[in-house]
Amino acid sequence: STAIALSEKKIYGYFARTVPSDEFQTKVFVDIIKKFNWTWIGTVASAGDYGEQGIKQFNQQADAEGICNAADLKIEDTEESYLTAIQDLLDVENPPTAVILFLRSDHVRGLLKAAETRGAVGKFFWLAGDGWGTQTEILDGVQHVAEGCLTVDVESAYPAAFKSYYVNLRPGQNTRNIWFESWWEQKFGCTVSPREPWMNTTPKPTCTGNEKLDERTFRMDSKVGFVISAVNALARALDKLLKDKCPHASASQPMCQEFIEFDRRAFHRDYLMKVEFSDTEGFTVAFDEQGNPEYPRYDIWN
């Protein structure tokens, strides 16, 4: 999760993450705005923690830099909400040059369609976060409304070895993942294993065995690299603890009592939070005092 609230250590004292907090994303927004010398902007946020906390953090940083917010808007899951937001932006006496979007992907599409309906194509420069990011599919039919936009997305290591491993998996050989067979059936619209008649609400053909994952049928989530780094961080911390507390561990007795009974708070403080290593792309993975990545990275897309 990238939620800003999770950085509050008084509440989430033992939380850590390899993906950057949205707080860093708002700093990128401010840097871009300063680069273009914009001082009069508008903001639109999705209702809920992601949008509202993100825009709150952005407004604090923007205010400190002398950037004025002409319209601070929030939208819900309704077409009326999208249309109202666009109209509110248009009704500002001096409409903002740029509009900062802290929106979920479905809200991005709804807002762009509303901009077309209200005749606001080309009226604003859109600057959006990872809710839009590199998701080009949400622009189908409204590409002309988004023309010239800038989007910000977290830069993640691309785990090529993991993708190669995953696309070569097949039902029957991936038994460690109890959900893989169901996912495969949903992906290819077929049935891997015979079903009892009462289980087949909508009968599907039996999978032929020729189904396979490739560039056309499989798109790896851009955040997979962060998941791999998170697992790696925990594994390295446990390995360091094991070597410190059980120096004489063996295959027949891999753990000792001191390792098993080690205080979990001390493990978080003295081992997990002190992990440092390079990810699959050679970038350093480490944590700051809030449990956020020490070196957050972002891509800016046009």
Side-chain angles (χ1 to χ4, degrees), residues 33 38-43 58-59 62-63 65-71 96 98:
I33 292 168
W38 295 328
T39 56
W40 189 248
I41 53 90
T43 57
F58 167 79
N59 283 333
D63 185 62
E65 295 291 341
I67 300 167
C68 298
N69 193 342

Side-chain angles (χ1 to χ4, degrees), residues 199-216:
M199 297 177 65
N200 288 327
T201 53
T202 304
K204 297 178 181 178
T206 301
C207 297
T208 64
N210 294 322
E211 298 83 11
K212 65 177 183 178
L213 299 172
D214 53 29
E215 293 295 335
R216 181 180 57 84

Side-chain angles (χ1 to χ4, degrees), residues 253-272:
Q253 191 174 0
M255 293 186 292
C256 61
Q257 202 63 27
E258 191 175 358
F259 173 84
I260 295 171
E261 296 177 353
F262 192 76
D263 182 74
R264 296 178 182 181
R265 288 169 292 188
F267 169 73
H268 178 272
R269 181 188 66 242
D270 300 333
Y271 287 89
L272 183 59

Side-chain angles (χ1 to χ4, degrees), residues 290-302:
Q290 280 71 47
N292 290 314
E294 187 76 52
Y295 309 104
R297 307 185 309 277
Y298 288 88
D299 290 319
I300 301 173
W301 300 89
N302 178 234

Side-chain angles (χ1 to χ4, degrees), residues 78-94:
T78 66
E79 183 178 359
E80 180 182 0
S81 181
Y82 304 142
L83 292 169
T84 299
I86 294 297
Q87 193 61 54
D88 287 346
L89 289 168
L90 292 171
D91 288 344
V92 174
E93 185 175 347
N94 181 19

Side-chain angles (χ1 to χ4, degrees), residues 26-239:
T26 61
K27 292 179 180 178
V28 177
F29 285 159
V30 170
D31 286 345
I32 291 173
I33 292 168
K34 290 170 61 180
K35 176 70 176 179
F36 286 102
N37 200 30
W38 295 328
T39 56
W40 189 248
I41 53 90
T43 57
V44 184
S46 292
D49 284 346
Y50 170 73
E52 293 180 51
Q53 290 297 318
I55 286 298
K56 178 181 178 181
Q57 184 71 29
F58 167 79
N59 283 333
Q60 291 173 355
Q61 296 178 15
D63 185 62
E65 295 291 341
I67 300 167
C68 298
N69 193 342
D72 191 7
L73 307 174
K74 180 175 69 175
I75 58 175
E76 308 280 351
D77 296 316
T78 66
E79 183 178 359
E80 180 182 0
S81 181
Y82 304 142
L83 292 169
T84 299
I86 294 297
Q87 193 61 54
D88 287 346
L89 289 168
L90 292 171
D91 288 344
V92 174
E93 185 175 347
N94 181 19
T97 304
V99 179
I100 315 306
L101 306 180
F102 235 104
L103 300 176
R104 301 187 336 231
S105 58
D106 54 330
H107 285 177
V108 170
R109 181 171 178 78
L111 190 73
L112 294 178
K113 291 177 69 175
E116 181 177 39
T117 301
R118 292 295 195 204
V121 178
K123 298 287 187 181
F124 308 110
F125 184 94
W126 309 110
L127 175 57
D130 58 2
W132 179 342
T134 58
Q135 300 178 77
T136 56
E137 64 274 9
I138 66 177
L139 301 180
D140 288 347
V142 291
Q143 294 94 330
H144 60 294
V145 187
E147 188 173 352
C149 70
L150 286 179
T151 66
V152 175
D153 203 0
V154 289
E155 181 185 353
S156 173
Y158 183 78
F162 175 79
K163 183 174 182 179
S164 176
Y165 154 78
Y166 199 85
V167 297
N168 284 292
L169 291 174
R170 297 291 183 273
Q173 61 177 187
N174 189 22
T175 54
R176 59 185 289 180
N177 185 340
I178 62 174
W179 298 284
F180 186 77
E181 186 174 295
S182 296
W183 177 81
W184 188 273
E185 292 179 337
Q186 182 180 16
K187 186 73 175 176
F188 294 103
C190 59
T191 302
V192 173
S193 303
R195 297 285 192 273
E196 295 292 335
W198 61 270
M199 297 177 65
N200 288 327
T201 53
T202 304
K204 297 178 181 178
T206 301
C207 297
T208 64
N210 294 322
E211 298 83 11
K212 65 177 183 178
L213 299 172
D214 53 29
E215 293 295 335
R216 181 180 57 84
T217 58
F218 175 69
R219 179 182 178 185
M220 187 166 61
D221 190 285
S222 62
K223 308 296 191 298
V224 167
F226 293 115
V227 178
I228 292 174
S229 290
V231 174
N232 203 342
L234 183 59
R236 287 170 179 268
L238 286 170
D239 182 63

